């Protein structure tokens, strides 16, 4: 069982620290790097050059549209796949099936799909979606069943609570059929993942907790006569030495405004998302002065989640230490990793030139061919 590594496309903007996040704070709205197509192309081309398999592109009212942005980047890249996130409630199964089929033809098979059911009603209502949390997962279940039926190549009839289709087609069958990545940790989410997903994605809780969820999902999938792959979404801060990496984590922590942390934690305290609550539990909302006090497992830092929603942990350490932590997750069943860092361009090089050669030497990489030169990027000063 080998490891596949993806990176993240910052379609909300980018910066040199966690506070440079336009969807998090008013200060972050003045993001140093706007997500214009030229900068996003720089990131995508670097990630492709470094040998990553794909790029997760987020969805939400705080970022650019994933379908349009990645389609624009197809002509600026040659090989990299795009893990396009979208919300089933925002389009019909027939339109999604058609868009995916078209994307595969235009891109030469470079589409992966990330199904985002939506954990927060306030965000869903921006799109006109008024279903509650559990009903949204019921709709997602129907949506994926209908979309796969359309991809069969035969006109599909479908009758459900949320969708009723007659003779639905996508004019052709996608080649290849894009794998479906799916997140969600609630009791409403896990059965849908077991029935419909190809890869279940989870955020970076400690390995033992992730292993427990994988074991449960394997049981649920087996009951459906299926098997799943498992992926993990987290950030990285990797450097030539452990001391350098933790110094960067400390700098990120030092830049956080206690008032902004308190505002973020107040929002997370009332979240509908099971996974988001678990992220918040890791750090307890406490802004420690010492970054190492937010280390919740050797090399796993919960400080990102003090400000950022979603994935709230980072793999911190030397290249060997980050590879060691990846191996721990691999041992409990994680086969795919979706990483990001600050800034996404520079951190991709730190990981690609630092950690990937370690994984390759250990025989763990599913895809080979990345440059193996050691990373030597300068560390930005606190004032930059």
């Amino acid at each position: 069982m080998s490891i596949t590594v993806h990176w993240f496309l910052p379609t909300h903007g980018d910066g040199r620290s966690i506070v440079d996040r336009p969807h998090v704070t008013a200060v972050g709205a003045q993001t140093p790097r706007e997500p214009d197509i030229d900068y996003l192309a720089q990131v995508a081309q670097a990630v492709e050059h470094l040998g990553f398999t794909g790029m997760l592109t987020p969805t939400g009212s705080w970022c650019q549209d994933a379908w349009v942005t990645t389609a624009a980047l197809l002509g600026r890249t040659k090989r990299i796949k795009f893990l396009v996130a979208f919300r089933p409630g925002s389009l019909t199964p027939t339109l999604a099936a058609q868009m995916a089929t078209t994307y595969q033809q235009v891109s030469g098979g470079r589409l992966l799909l990330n199904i985002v059911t939506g954990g927060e009603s306030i965000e869903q209502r921006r799109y006109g979606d008024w279903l509650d949390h559990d009903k949204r997962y019921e709709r997602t279940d129907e949506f994926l069943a209908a979309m796969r039926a359309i991809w069969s190549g035969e006109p599909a009839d479908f009758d459900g609570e949320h969708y009723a289709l007659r003779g639905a087609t996508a004019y052709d069958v996608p080649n290849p059929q894009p794998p479906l990545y799916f997140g969600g940790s609630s009791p409403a989410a896990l059965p849908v993942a077991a029935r419909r997903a190809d890869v279940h994605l989870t955020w970076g809780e400690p390995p033992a907790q992730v292993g427990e969820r994988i074991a449960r999902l394997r049981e649920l999938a087996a009951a459906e006569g299926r098997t799943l792959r498992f992926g993990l979404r987290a950030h990285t801060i990797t450097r030539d030495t452990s001391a350098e990496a933790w110094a960067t984590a400390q700098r990120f922590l030092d830049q956080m405004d206690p008032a902004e942390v308190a505002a973020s934690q107040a929002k997370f305290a009332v979240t509908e998302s099971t996974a988001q609550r678990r992220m918040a539990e890791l750090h307890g909302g406490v802004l420690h002065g010492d970054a190492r006090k937010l280390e919740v497992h050797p090399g796993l830092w919960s400080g990102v989640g003090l400000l950022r929603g979603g994935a709230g942990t980072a793999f911190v350490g030397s290249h060997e230490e980050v590879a060691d932590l990846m191996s721990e997750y691999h041992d409990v069943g994680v086969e795919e990793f979706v990483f990001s860092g600050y800034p996404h361009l520079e951190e991709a090089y730190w990981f690609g030139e630092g950690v990937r050669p370690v994984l390759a030497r250990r025989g763990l990489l599913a895809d080979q061919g990345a440059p193996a030169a050691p990373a030597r990027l300068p560390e930005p000063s606190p004032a930059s």
Side-chain angles (χ1 to χ4, degrees), residues 28-289:
Q30 305 302 317
T31 178
R33 300 184 189 180
E34 293 294 335
D36 62 70
I37 197 65
D38 290 331
Y39 178 68
L40 296 178
Q42 284 187 58
V43 179
Q45 289 165 357
V47 169
E48 182 172 77
H49 170 72
L50 291 163
F52 290 85
T53 296
M55 297 194 77
L56 172 63
T57 310
T59 183
S61 57
W62 45 268
C63 62
Q64 296 175 345
D65 177 74
W67 292 95
V68 175
T69 303
T70 60
L73 291 172
L74 291 174
R76 308 282 285 269
T77 54
K78 299 176 182 178
R79 175 196 57 80
I80 198 74
K81 296 181 180 181
F82 291 104
L83 178 49
V84 172
F86 77 98
R87 300 167 187 259
S90 62
L91 67 170
T92 68
T94 307
L95 180 58
Q98 182 185 31
M99 291 168 66
T101 298
T102 304
Y103 199 111
Q104 290 299 61
Q105 291 182 342
V106 170
S107 69
R110 292 162 59 188
L111 176 66
L112 314 170
L113 287 177
N114 181 31
I115 312 302
V116 179
T117 297
E120 304 293 350
S121 290
I122 189 170
E123 169 73 4
Q124 294 301 121
R125 289 169 186 170
R126 292 170 182 165
Y127 292 89
D129 180 7
W130 291 79
L131 292 183
D132 65 26
H133 178 278
D134 288 1
K135 283 292 184 181
R136 290 197 294 267
Y137 278 101
E138 291 177 9
R139 180 180 60 194
T140 295
D141 190 38
E142 287 188 16
F143 183 100
L144 297 179
M147 187 169 67
R148 286 196 187 274
I150 295 166
W151 282 343
S152 71
E154 298 294 329
D157 293 342
F158 186 88
D159 289 290
E161 180 181 349
H162 303 281
Y163 300 103
L165 309 177
R166 290 293 178 271
T169 63
Y171 87 88
D172 201 354
V173 176
N175 182 27
Q177 189 173 126
L180 303 182
Y181 291 68
F182 181 92
S185 300
S186 68
L190 297 185
V192 181
R195 279 192 295 270
R196 309 297 179 196
D198 297 304
V199 181
H200 182 267
L201 286 175
T202 187
W203 290 331
E205 296 177 79
Q209 292 172 248
V210 171
E212 290 173 1
R213 188 166 309 115
I214 287 175
R216 176 58 180 152
L217 277 163
R218 281 176 171 161
E219 292 176 355
L220 292 172
E224 299 283 346
R226 306 183 69 241
T227 59
L228 288 175
R229 288 170 56 86
F230 298 95
L232 185 135
R233 168 82 180 97
H235 308 275
T236 64
I237 305 172
T238 182
R239 298 293 184 270
D240 293 338
T241 68
S242 184
E244 291 175 286
W246 282 103
T248 301
Q250 185 65 52
R251 178 171 61 83
F252 288 170
L253 190 66
D254 292 342
Q255 292 173 332
M256 294 185 190
D257 182 340
E260 296 293 353
V261 170
S264 291
Q265 295 312 304
K267 180 178 66 175
F268 300 154
V270 295
T271 181
E272 299 172 35
S273 168
T274 299
Q276 183 64 73
R277 287 197 298 271
R278 288 174 173 164
M279 285 285 98
E281 288 168 0
L282 291 177
H283 52 67
V286 179
L287 183 60
H288 293 285

Side-chain angles (χ1 to χ4, degrees), residues 330-346:
H330 188 239
D331 289 343
V332 301
V334 175
E335 299 175 64
E336 303 199 22
F337 292 85
V338 181
F339 286 129
S340 55
Y342 303 97
H344 288 74
L345 179 61
E346 286 91 326

